Amino acid sequence: MVSVITVLVAASVPGALTGPAQAEPTGSPAYSLAGKCYQLTGPKVPAGKYYAKAADLGQFLFYDTAGRVLTAAGKTVAAQHQLSNDAIWSVRATGDGYRMTSTTQRSTARTVALTPAQGCRTFPEAQLNVDGGPTPGVNAQGELTGFVDGHAHLMAEQFLGGGIHCGKPYSPLGITVALKDCADHGTDGMPALLEHVLSKPGPHSSDGWPTFEGWPKWYSLTHEQTYYRWVERAWRGGVRLINNYYVQNRVLCELYPLGDETCDEMESVRVQHRRLNKLIDYIDAQAGGPGKGFMRIVRSAAEARAVIASGKLAVSLGIEISEPFGCRIINNVPQCDKGDIDRGMDELKAMGVRQMILTHKFDNALGGSRIDSDLTGAAVGIGQVLATAVPWQTEPCRTPLRDNQAPLDGPDRCNAMGLTALGAYAVEGAIKRNMMIDVDHLSVKSLNRVLQIAEAHKYPGVTSTHSWTDKSVYNRILALGGTVGLYGGAPEDFVQDWRTLRSHLKSGAAPLGLSFGADTNGLGTQGSPRENAAADPVRYPYRSENGTLMYRQVSGTKSFDVNVDGNAHYGLIPDWIQSMRLEAGAQGDTLVADMYRAANSKVDQWATVESYQR
């Protein structure tokens, strides 16, 4: 049911014509209202100044100077402090003004005047704290420039059933709802069981907006870290390509009792894909209409190149699930066949997915997984049994390649399961469809076989995105024309891994374009504060590689400082990179230059993969 209010907007800017001011043709959504201040008057409507906060494309919250929102309440319209869907209005241009329609209720139609004004109270929002406009993603030589995150999870609010994850990348009702405290975390964090297991045990503040006393933290794995404004700040600081992995783990999802989302892994991919498209719509809405936002989903190298060159943020798509195409294995019996693989890959290709991880945490019908180590490995090993009905089977490592140390099984033991016949069929299917294969999470036996198949075909579509493979294969990946990204963790570790990777480069090789894999929202800790930050801190403001002046990021009443907070949320990615510039000492500028070439290297690889013919 809906309510209808007809709104006449009179122009009041100097030199403007009198009468209704319309930026959109009659009947079209009123995108241009977003982020502007209006004086509202009319019968049976609370008069006052209202800030138009976009809630979706063509939909708005109207926020007054007392911090209330215009709300449909039966047959009346009132200004209320409580945010609800009753406060979302769909607005369309008419012949002489605008028509506002409540998205939830029917009420009496009213005609009002909305006059451009000043002095509105701005709707609460995270700040960007940058100086300088958006910069192009191409240099004078026509090469793409920009940092690349090859492994992120923007839609992880749906991961593991949704209940484990506190916060959302956006809400139509704004930041105060998107990043509010989660009831199941309690006031002291004690009910949040997985936060104690995965992050730090013991009581902790659960406060999100506006103090952010409890989260986000670099080590906290159950709270939102990719709120859209934080992603926007990373883009302003030079990030130009994010590979978003749709992620799910059925077993862990089914184990957690508070989830209310599907645990079916392929269905989760579909849900997350729909939500990512809605996020794009929301970002566009803030900027004034379709296509005007800072972020775009890209499905080809040409699209990525155009988006990055224009200065916007490109988002490519991948999957990181434990049972792709339903390829579970139970008591060593595959639960899928070649037809399932073909149908699944065709669906993903049509969706725009261009990159995939074949195994994740557990063995599946495609092959063995890379075993987690230590206590984490022991915990994941329980999931392995629940997923497959058998524990990991290990054996002495038969090549120089190594899995992580198998839990409770001693050193130099590797997963005995390699790539299966179905797994080889999936690899061939990816090559046939010109899709990239991320070798992270493969057991070393599976890894070696995947590389052998790629080498036999001279296939360049191989990558490692977040250091979850044996580092000694970097030279094989690079020799194929593939790319390597390093895990975006502690600055000290990243710098050391960068030096290791550079040692694999052959004399005369093309300049390195190095991506990072933050694994944000994917149960991976983020970059910690640098160990010597107190003696040699990042000094704010600093200039990012693209020339943007970066100040401490402020969300609510919290001012984030990478020297103290580490990479607490995605908006601090540029600060984390600056921290690594300092960590690398005399090599700092070389490190950042390698990272800033990543956009060009990754898109070049993508184009080569697209043009590959067997």
Side-chain angles (χ1 to χ4, degrees):
M1 303 298 287
V2 297
S3 63
V4 177
I5 301 178
T6 300
V7 183
L8 299 180
V9 182
S12 63
V13 295
L17 298 175
T18 58
Q22 285 186 204
E24 294 86 11
T26 297
S28 64
Y31 303 126
S32 64
L33 297 179
K36 297 176 183 176
C37 176
Y38 297 96
Q39 176 70 41
L40 184 150
T41 57
K44 298 183 180 180
V45 177
K49 292 180 179 179
Y50 287 86
Y51 179 87
K53 169 66 173 178
D56 198 348
L57 284 171
Q59 297 182 359
F60 300 91
L61 303 168
F62 289 95
Y63 186 70
D64 73 6
T65 55
R68 302 171 302 183
V69 287
L70 201 64
T71 304
K75 294 184 178 181
T76 65
V77 178
Q80 299 181 358
H81 285 286
Q82 183 66 38
L83 278 167
S84 71
N85 289 336
D86 295 336
I88 299 176
W89 301 89
S90 179
V91 184
R92 303 187 74 86
T94 65
D96 55 1
Y98 293 92
R99 177 176 292 269
M100 299 172 58
T101 307
S102 168
T103 58
T104 61
Q105 298 186 38
R106 178 183 300 276
S107 68
T108 305
R110 292 167 175 81
T111 298
V112 300
L114 272 172
T115 306
Q118 294 181 345
C120 282
R121 180 174 179 174
T122 304
F123 195 86
E125 189 55 278
Q127 299 177 34
L128 295 182
N129 306 107
V130 301
D131 189 7
T135 58
V138 63
N139 62 20
Q141 291 72 44
E143 298 169 328
L144 296 181
T145 59
F147 304 118
V148 173
D149 183 351
H151 195 117
H153 303 288
L154 301 178
M155 293 292 104
E157 61 167 305
Q158 199 271 341
F159 184 36
L160 300 183
I164 186 178
H165 191 84
C166 183
K168 299 176 181 296
Y170 83 99
S171 167
L173 300 177
I175 192 172
T176 64
V177 172
L179 300 182
K180 67 180 179 180
D181 303 341
C182 292
D184 63 317
H185 284 213
T187 58
D188 59 2
M190 291 307 293
L193 175 62
L194 284 181
E195 178 71 5
H196 305 300
V197 174
L198 297 172
S199 303
K200 287 188 176 181
H204 62 273
S205 170
S206 61
D207 291 347
W209 174 271
T211 67
F212 293 105
E213 180 182 348
W215 60 275
K217 303 286 188 183
W218 67 268
Y219 54 80
S220 178
L221 305 185
T222 66
H223 296 96
E224 180 61 46
Q225 292 178 298
T226 61
Y227 181 66
Y228 88 98
R229 284 283 279 186
W230 296 339
V231 176
E232 185 173 0
R233 185 176 189 270
W235 161 66
R236 292 291 293 274
V239 176
R240 287 295 178 268
L241 174 62
I242 296 175
N243 183 66
N244 178 68
Y245 273 123
Y246 299 132
V247 61
Q248 189 56 280
N249 183 293
R250 177 188 57 82
V251 172
L252 298 181
C253 179
E254 291 175 349
L255 282 175
Y256 194 66
L258 299 180
D260 59 359
E261 302 264 6
T262 180
C263 293
D264 179 277
E265 297 191 0
M266 290 297 287
E267 183 59 24
S268 291
V269 169
R270 300 178 190 108
V271 170
Q272 291 176 38
H273 184 63
R274 291 194 292 270
R275 292 184 183 179
L276 180 60
N277 278 278
K278 290 296 293 181
L279 171 62
I280 299 294
D281 287 347
Y282 183 80
I283 291 171
D284 282 353
Q286 310 312 307
K292 293 187 176 182
F294 69 89
M295 190 163 77
R296 306 250 62 83
I297 295 173
V298 293
R299 296 168 177 82
S300 69
E303 287 184 6
R305 188 173 298 279
V307 168
I308 295 170
S310 74
K312 294 192 176 186
L313 174 61
V315 178
S316 57
L317 306 179
I319 63 163
E320 183 184 33
I321 59 181
S322 294
E323 297 168 355
F325 327 122
C327 284
R328 182 181 178 187
I329 191 169
I330 303 176
N331 285 316
N332 298 315
V333 178
Q335 305 299 299
C336 70
D337 56 27
K338 292 180 179 179
D340 295 316
I341 294 171
D342 284 332
R343 286 187 292 273
M345 283 194 173
D346 288 343
E347 179 185 4
L348 294 176
K349 188 73 181 287
M351 190 182 292
V353 171
R354 298 294 182 266
Q355 190 162 299
M356 65 182 66
I357 289 177
L358 297 177
T359 68
H360 190 205
K361 287 299 183 182
F362 315 131
D363 297 342
N364 61 28
L366 306 180
S369 65
R370 184 171 174 83
I371 296 173
D372 283 77
S373 60
D374 304 323
L375 291 178
T376 300
V380 175
I382 296 172
Q384 159 76 12
V385 174
L386 293 174
T388 69
V390 295
W392 282 309
Q393 303 298 308
T394 64
E395 64 184 13
C397 298
R398 305 186 188 281
T399 73
L401 301 179
R402 292 291 182 272
D403 281 327
N404 292 311
Q405 180 176 325
L408 309 178
D409 206 3
D412 294 325
R413 305 274 304 179
C414 289
N415 192 340
M417 186 174 183
L419 197 69
T420 67
L422 285 174
Y425 185 81
V427 172
E428 295 282 355
I431 295 173
K432 175 183 176 182
R433 294 169 177 82
N434 301 86
M435 300 174 77
M436 295 191 200
I437 304 165
D438 187 339
V439 297
D440 285 2
H441 289 292
L442 290 169
S443 70
V444 294
K445 290 183 72 173
S446 298
L447 165 69
N448 190 51
R449 183 67 186 123
V450 169
L451 289 174
Q452 287 174 345
I453 295 172
E455 288 162 345
H457 290 297
K458 295 182 173 57
Y459 185 61
V462 180
T463 187
S464 169
T465 56
H466 68 331
S467 303
W468 202 242
T469 192
D470 189 300
K471 294 178 177 59
S472 67
V473 302
Y474 288 168
N475 60 337
R476 296 173 69 182
I477 294 172
L478 295 173
L480 283 166
T483 53
V484 172
L486 303 178
Y487 179 54
E492 297 83 0
D493 294 339
F494 191 98
V495 171
Q496 183 56 51
D497 287 347
W498 166 70
R499 288 172 174 149
T500 299
L501 176 60
R502 264 194 158 253
S503 71
H504 286 278
L505 295 179
K506 295 181 179 179
S507 177
L512 178 65
L514 176 65
S515 64
F516 61 90
D519 202 15
T520 317
N521 288 343
L523 302 186
T525 57
Q526 301 303 290
S528 56
R530 210 169 75 259
E531 292 177 0
N532 66 338
D536 186 20
V538 170
R539 300 185 185 278
Y540 293 92
Y542 68 90
R543 287 201 181 275
S544 184
E545 190 72 359
N546 66 345
T548 301
L549 195 62
M550 311 291 292
Y551 295 82
R552 288 180 181 85
Q553 196 281 322
V554 178
S555 295
T557 60
K558 170 73 172 179
S559 177
F560 288 92
D561 184 333
V562 73
N563 301 297
V564 177
D565 300 302
N567 191 17
H569 63 65
Y570 207 85
L572 300 180
I573 290 285
D575 308 46
W576 169 75
I577 293 172
Q578 181 68 9
S579 186
M580 290 193 298
R581 188 196 298 267
L582 299 178
E583 177 63 27
Q587 296 178 304
D589 289 348
T590 302
L591 165 63
V592 177
D594 282 352
M595 296 181 71
Y596 203 57
R597 280 191 292 268
N600 200 66
S601 295
K602 190 62 184 178
V603 175
D604 277 354
Q605 182 204 16
W606 193 351
T608 302
V609 171
E610 287 180 333
S611 63
Y612 173 84
Q613 293 181 342
R614 297 175 63 168

